[in-house]
Amino acid sequence: MERICEPANMNQAYRKVKANKGASGVDGMTIDGVFNYVRQHKEELLKTLLDGSYKPNVVRGVQIPKPDGSKRQLGIPTILDRVIQQSILQVLEPMFEPMFSRSSYGFRPRRSALMALSVARDYVQDGYVYVVDMDLEKFFDRVNHDILMSKLARYIRDKRLLRIIRRYLEAGLLQDGIKIDRELGMPQGGNLSPLLSNIMLDELDKELESRGHKFCRYADDCNIYVKSYKAGARVLESVTEFLSKRLKLKVNEAKSAVALAKERKFLGYSFRSDGELRVAPQSLEKFKKKIRELTKRSRGRNLESIILELNRYLNGWISYFRLSASISVFSKFDSWIRRKLRCYRLKQRKRAYSI
């Protein structure tokens, strides 16, 4: 806790949270408000952190739609709690990072989804053409606190810090004015949650490594590559049992499957018959929907601002999908977007036009 509370560490955490420009929590306090609050109550805040008596605020519950029509539950901590969590993260991450598997790519420094996809492509081209595509059902909502805390306690001897982390896990969720107590899970939206998720699932990584499996895990999205359907079926059954018994986690049977890699998607991509990557059909539909929203002719904005928004979105999209071997899709959408912009300009000129 002394390292966490060092001024340099907490100042760095504050700058990080400020740069992320996240929404306020249940107290409505802004990042500038937090700065003023800490300046006025610094001694009291540090005292509660150093003696382990600090109590986090409840998190603000927000539900966002998922592509399949369901809702994803987010928990937005107050900005002060995000600063404290970031301070903890900056001390803990260097401790745990060297212990993690080389096959884990999510929420880690100097690792990315594109790195996971490159390795997955190599596996498929090496003949591991079947994939055990595993989806953990509501992972962030089902994390067992006792199991996670026992993993943390193996490496963290400071009981003050362990008490504060448990309080963050148990912090209530305020949803539509109703406080919901949490006995399982962790808020998907807190600064600590990504690291804690990797600590929780590191045991799965180590188990797969001990069995000699080829796999890529990005957060709770895990793909295991095998050479036959029969082998994949055995792996799916045994890993499902392992997760249930050892980590008390449930595999979503409706979304998990053993199939040819080209029949499944992974991190927005899918595979061609030759093992090369391509943009998944679902990602293309999502892309087209976003472009239609940005170029909707009733938006009432000037063409220059529309082009600015489009460029920001397109640059990010093209950067992420640059591993696609099917480059024809980019030129195809280029002409389609130009046509949408012409329609938008003609609408501004009050001329009737239709695609």
Side-chain angles (χ1 to χ4, degrees), residues 182-216:
R182 297 174 68 92
E183 296 180 355
L184 289 172
M186 52 188 169
Q188 192 172 355
N191 297 55
L192 262 180
S193 296
L195 175 64
L196 296 180
S197 69
N198 277 330
I199 292 171
M200 184 72 177
L201 291 174
D202 185 59
E203 188 172 351
L204 169 63
D205 297 341
K206 296 299 192 290
E207 178 67 17
L208 295 177
E209 286 177 341
S210 70
R211 299 182 186 186
H213 287 311
K214 312 288 186 184
F215 72 98
C216 295

Side-chain angles (χ1 to χ4, degrees), residues 226-355:
V226 295
K227 291 189 173 182
S228 70
Y229 179 88
K230 189 174 181 180
R234 287 197 305 267
V235 171
L236 179 59
E237 182 181 0
S238 62
V239 174
T240 298
E241 184 180 7
F242 171 84
L243 287 166
S244 175
K245 290 184 176 179
R246 294 287 293 273
L247 300 180
K248 307 299 180 187
L249 295 171
K250 184 178 180 181
V251 172
N252 188 325
E253 295 181 4
K255 294 183 178 180
S256 301
V258 179
L260 286 168
K262 65 180 181 180
E263 297 173 358
R264 307 292 291 183
K265 73 179 182 73
F266 182 47
L267 301 176
Y269 281 79
S270 57
F271 290 93
R272 302 192 317 191
S273 297
D274 60 0
E276 288 290 349
L277 291 163
R278 67 187 180 99
V279 184
Q282 299 93 324
S283 298
L284 291 176
E285 288 303 314
K286 185 178 178 181
F287 171 80
K288 289 192 286 186
K289 181 181 178 182
K290 180 65 176 180
I291 296 300
R292 291 190 184 102
E293 290 174 358
L294 290 174
T295 58
K296 191 175 181 181
R297 283 173 277 177
S298 60
R299 291 190 69 194
R301 304 186 62 182
N302 63 54
L303 185 63
E304 289 73 18
S305 64
I306 297 297
I307 291 173
L308 201 62
E309 285 186 79
L310 271 173
N311 283 339
R312 280 197 296 263
Y313 178 71
L314 290 172
N315 285 336
W317 196 86
I318 292 170
S319 176
Y320 183 76
F321 286 104
R322 66 181 183 271
L323 296 182
S324 173
S326 304
I327 60 173
S328 60
V329 68
F330 295 101
S331 56
K332 173 186 172 183
F333 282 124
D334 182 61
S335 59
W336 178 66
I337 293 168
R338 290 177 184 275
R339 199 160 62 243
K340 301 289 285 184
L341 288 173
R342 285 197 296 271
C343 290
Y344 193 91
R345 183 165 186 172
L346 289 170
K347 173 69 176 180
Q348 284 187 323
R349 293 180 175 183
K350 309 297 184 182
R351 288 171 54 185
Y353 189 87
S354 60
I355 295 180

Side-chain angles (χ1 to χ4, degrees), residues 14 17-18 22-25 27-42 45 78-83:
Y14 172 83
V17 172
K18 184 177 182 178
S24 298
D27 59 0
M29 193 177 292
T30 64
I31 188 69
D32 292 329
V34 167
F35 179 82
N36 294 328
Y37 175 86
V38 172
R39 187 167 57 179
Q40 295 172 19
H41 301 86
K42 180 180 177 181
L45 175 63
T78 64
I79 293 180
L80 177 60
D81 280 325
R82 295 213 293 276
V83 171

Side-chain angles (χ1 to χ4, degrees), residues 6-24:
E6 286 178 358
N9 185 57
M10 298 204 76
N11 288 338
Q12 181 185 347
Y14 172 83
R15 291 192 295 270
K16 180 74 173 179
V17 172
K18 184 177 182 178
N20 288 339
K21 300 179 181 179
S24 298

